[in-house]
Amino acid sequence: MAGQTVTRAQLTEAVYQEVGLSRNESAELVESVIAEIAGALERGEMVKISSFGSFAVRQKGQRVGRNPKTGQEVPISPRRVLVFRASHALKHQINNGLAETPPRATATRPVPARAATAKASPG
């Protein structure tokens, strides 16, 4: 699934399949959830979705940037940016999904026998 994008239509279809609402009701539900999240972020509120993550809006101050082509300094105006922080549950789910793929071969160093037995023998 790498390189693919999930669209509103696909979310609507998933709701239709899983919940059993009509396609129109599923589309309205998806639109309603997206609109509520966007509205809360517009108002500057943080949106936390349990076991998924949190969305927040941060204020960035004015700074001086540089045109990479000409080297000329250009002021960058203050702006608000959207940030997303994934929950530990989502990170764990993503990493477990990656663990199902065959692991790459890694070189391991053998532990010297003396070091292993030195810890086991009493002082």
Side-chain angles (χ1 to χ4, degrees), residues 13 25 31 35-37 47 50 53 62 66-67 83 95 98 116:
E13 185 64 24
E25 291 171 330
E31 292 301 321
E36 186 61 34
I37 291 171
V47 177
S50 179
Q62 183 172 349
R66 190 175 303 275
N67 181 331
V83 292
N95 286 324
L98 292 176

Side-chain angles (χ1 to χ4, degrees), residues 10 29 38 54 72 75 95-96 106:
Q10 290 169 326
L29 178 64
S54 58
Q72 177 183 8
N95 286 324
N96 281 348
T106 58

Side-chain angles (χ1 to χ4, degrees), residues 53-70:
S54 58
F55 297 89
V57 176
R58 288 201 183 139
Q59 183 68 36
K60 292 187 113 180
Q62 183 172 349
R63 65 185 179 92
V64 176
R66 190 175 303 275
N67 181 331
K69 199 170 196 177
T70 64

Side-chain angles (χ1 to χ4, degrees), residues 68-85:
K69 199 170 196 177
T70 64
Q72 177 183 8
E73 289 186 354
V74 178
I76 299 174
S77 59
R79 64 201 181 282
R80 293 171 26 160
V81 294
L82 178 66
V83 292
F84 173 74
R85 182 173 172 131

Side-chain angles (χ1 to χ4, degrees), residues 16-34:
Y16 168 73
Q17 295 290 332
E18 292 293 319
V19 180
L21 297 174
S22 71
R23 280 196 165 88
N24 285 340
E25 291 171 330
S26 298
E28 289 173 10
L29 178 64
V30 169
E31 292 301 321
S32 169
V33 169
I34 291 172

